[in-house]
Amino acid sequence: MSLRPQEDIGAEIHKVDQFFRVEEGSGEALLNGVRMAIEAGFAIIVPAGINHNIINTGSVALKLYTLYA
């Protein structure tokens, strides 16, 4: 997945756990209203039922991948 500067994935809630790994860039993870800065090398686990969003707050593409379990 690649997010342009200021782009986000949109608020989501899933019935399964989700894993994100940030490969390039920087941004924010928003989990149930709590913001956390993220950057290349970070991983985020989003438990099932958590409202979440990933936002590119940087000036270059935020590249990441995700797995669902």
Side-chain angles (χ1 to χ4, degrees), residues 4-59:
R4 295 182 306 267
Q6 306 310 309
E7 186 177 19
D8 66 285
I9 62 171
E12 302 179 315
I13 300 174
H14 300 293
K15 293 181 180 181
V16 296
D17 296 340
Q18 187 173 13
F19 168 88
F20 288 96
R21 164 78 178 171
V22 181
E23 294 298 314
E24 294 180 28
S26 61
E28 287 183 339
L30 182 62
L31 283 74
N32 276 348
V34 177
R35 291 181 183 271
M36 177 177 61
I38 58 174
E39 62 185 28
F42 277 48
I44 304 117
I45 303 279
V46 181
I50 298 293
N51 187 327
H52 62 282
N53 194 1
I54 303 293
I55 306 155
N56 182 348
T57 59
S59 58

